[in-house]
Amino acid sequence: MLFRSAAGTAHHQPLMSATLTTPERSAGRSVARWRAIGCQVHLEVRWSADLAPARALVERVLLDVDEVASRFRADSDLARVNAAPGRLVEVDPLLVAAVRVAVEAAEATGGLVHPLMGRPLAEWGYDRTFTEIERCTDLRGVPAPAVALDSWRAIELEDAAVHIPAGTALDLGATGKAWIVDLAVAALREELGADAVLSIGGDLRTTGSTAWTVGVAEHPDADPEELLEVTGALATSSTRVRRWSVDGAERHHLIDPRTGAPAGEVWRTVTVAAPTCVAANTATTAAMLLGAAAPAALAADPAVSAARLVAGDGSITRLAWPEAATGKDPR
């Protein structure tokens, strides 16, 4: 996602490291950009005095969630759950909350947005951070078996414990980033009362009563293709990023649980407006997997206010877009 305030357009620029950067302060804009959890983070506030505390709050949320829910940290609670499938593992309640959100997404999509895709992702080569994948030239993949669409129902949650079925592994990539945005925006609202917009890896949500002008593009480094006024949330799923080569063939991170393989690319990018990032990202992920059936499914989804689907040939299908592309915040 790209943002434009009344002062002009702000482009996401790739950073070389996750070190803290100096925010931009020009013509009434107060912006901070940095990298975290493998994603570009963009935080913009209306009032410059809000920027430092807002950034500190977002960084705290990112750190807290990464410590418990990262698939790539050996010391995370999620890694301990994945190391003991078939057993109940004591974890931080924050991970229980994250898994509960993922289970609810599975329920809403009939298992398409599936929280037990950790093994298929690893077996197709996504077994380390994407930065590390990009540095590798010798990845080898083992085609993964399909995951039973209802296997997520065997996940058991207690107040501070998680059980996953034997032979499975959690991956919260389909909902986790969006959930972090929703958490951080709720904290911005409750602790600071800040008027802000936050994007993490293109999952975006606003807080406050006024709209933000957002530019939509298929790639974070590209110029905006469309501009629209947004209050609420936008999320994008795409096969144009997080691609890698395994045994000489290109792969991407959207694994279809029905086949255990990277999804067919009827759509290369789907963007959805909804009240929350979790609702928007659940819809975009399901749409990418549904292929030709996606427009009808999105039109029937009560959580979706608008959608923009880009086909493999670049043609665009719009559903109530852009006139209804404002996923109004329910709170």
Side-chain angles (χ1 to χ4, degrees):
M1 290 296 173
L2 306 164
F3 305 94
R4 189 186 71 171
S5 71
T9 301
H11 296 265
H12 279 204
Q13 297 296 333
L15 302 179
M16 300 307 294
S17 71
T19 56
L20 302 184
T21 60
T22 302
E24 294 183 9
R25 299 177 186 275
S26 61
R29 298 178 60 246
S30 294
V31 182
R33 300 191 195 95
W34 68 99
R35 287 193 69 83
I37 61 169
C39 299
Q40 182 77 42
V41 182
H42 180 118
L43 171 66
E44 187 163 350
V45 297
R46 297 286 188 197
W47 309 107
S48 60
D50 288 334
L51 187 61
R55 176 169 180 160
L57 193 156
V58 172
E59 288 177 334
R60 189 176 78 219
V61 172
L62 284 162
L63 178 62
D64 287 348
V65 176
D66 189 55
E67 286 180 345
V68 302
S70 172
R71 189 163 61 92
F72 307 116
R73 290 181 57 152
D75 62 345
S76 75
D77 286 19
L78 184 144
R80 291 193 299 107
V81 172
N82 283 348
R87 296 191 313 203
L88 189 67
V89 180
E90 290 188 7
V91 299
D92 190 289
L94 189 62
L95 180 62
V96 176
V99 177
R100 182 169 286 114
V101 167
V103 167
E104 290 170 354
E107 175 78 51
T109 61
L112 279 180
V113 181
H114 206 297
L116 295 175
M117 300 303 296
R119 284 189 61 190
L121 279 166
E123 289 167 351
W124 283 106
Y126 198 177
D127 58 354
R128 64 205 79 186
T129 68
F130 199 73
T131 299
E132 293 171 317
I133 287 177
E134 290 178 313
R135 295 173 183 156
C136 291
T137 58
D138 59 347
L139 286 175
R140 295 291 181 266
V142 179
V147 175
L149 282 181
D150 63 350
S151 59
W152 57 271
R153 296 186 183 277
I155 295 173
E156 298 175 14
L157 300 176
E158 297 185 359
D159 290 344
V162 174
H163 166 279
I164 61 173
T168 68
L170 283 170
D171 176 77
L172 304 181
T175 55
K177 178 161 55 71
W179 180 64
I180 293 172
V181 175
D182 286 339
L183 275 183
V185 166
L188 288 171
R189 178 192 301 113
E190 293 164 11
E191 296 188 25
L192 299 178
D195 193 358
V197 60
L198 173 65
S199 168
I200 301 177
D203 286 355
L204 173 153
R205 188 167 172 184
T206 74
T207 180
S209 58
T210 56
W212 295 78
T213 304
V214 173
V216 177
E218 286 194 83
H219 195 281
D221 300 332
D223 289 336
E225 299 162 12
E226 297 184 25
L227 297 175
L228 60 152
E229 297 295 309
V230 173
T231 58
L234 286 179
T236 297
S237 291
S238 178
T239 60
R240 302 198 72 191
V241 293
R242 297 192 185 275
R243 299 183 73 94
W244 65 95
S245 179
V246 176
D247 297 328
E250 272 207 345
R251 308 297 182 194
H252 60 77
H253 69 293
L254 288 171
I255 305 296
D256 190 331
R258 297 168 297 186
T259 65
E265 297 184 68
V266 173
W267 310 106
R268 67 190 196 196
T269 304
V270 177
T271 301
V272 162
T276 67
C277 269
V278 167
N281 205 49
T282 297
T284 61
T285 302
M288 294 291 288
L289 298 175
L290 284 168
L298 289 170
D301 188 338
V304 173
S305 58
R308 180 180 186 267
L309 304 90
V310 183
D313 63 3
S315 59
I316 298 175
T317 298
R318 296 177 175 86
L319 303 175
W321 184 284
E323 61 272 15
T326 299
K328 293 185 178 179
D329 197 311
R331 286 170 290 179

